[in-house]
Amino acid sequence: KAKVLTDWNHFNCKFLPDELVKVNNDIAFWESKRLQSFAGQVGKVFAATTQDGKRMRNGTSRQSTRYYVEFSNGEVGGFDSMNLTLI
């Protein structure tokens, strides 16, 4: 079960806290309609999920990372990294 991490600085991370990202226009079809509604919007990364809530990497194994983005209207969405682009 994943846990939320709000402060990280691992050099292999695709995104870091407070970075601006844009939700891709072609967000994955398996994501919810609500997350798909954010396509093309820009927001700020503020959290990510990790396996232990302490590290972005689990030894040498890769893990799926979901980044949480806050938009200007205060809404929050959790997106797989492949659905986001750094601005």
Side-chain angles (χ1 to χ4, degrees):
K1 185 173 178 180
K3 296 187 170 117
V4 176
L5 184 66
T6 58
D7 185 23
W8 68 94
N9 191 19
H10 193 281
F11 63 92
N12 276 344
C13 294
K14 189 170 182 181
F15 307 107
L16 296 173
D18 296 324
E19 289 187 327
L20 289 178
V21 294
K22 181 178 180 180
V23 179
N24 297 340
N25 288 325
D26 57 345
I27 189 168
F29 69 89
W30 59 80
E31 295 289 4
S32 70
K33 296 289 184 198
R34 180 181 174 277
L35 289 182
Q36 290 178 14
S37 73
F38 291 109
Q41 293 190 39
V42 173
K44 183 173 69 169
V45 174
F46 74 94
T49 54
T50 68
Q51 291 177 347
D52 64 4
K54 298 175 185 172
R55 300 172 292 181
M56 288 300 286
R57 296 291 212 192
N58 184 14
T60 57
S61 66
R62 287 189 53 81
Q63 66 182 39
S64 176
T65 302
R66 185 167 283 258
Y67 291 93
Y68 292 85
V69 179
E70 182 175 14
F71 299 94
S72 61
N73 64 0
E75 287 191 88
V76 171
F79 299 90
D80 289 329
S81 60
M82 68 179 184
N83 292 315
L84 300 171
T85 302
L86 185 64
I87 295 186

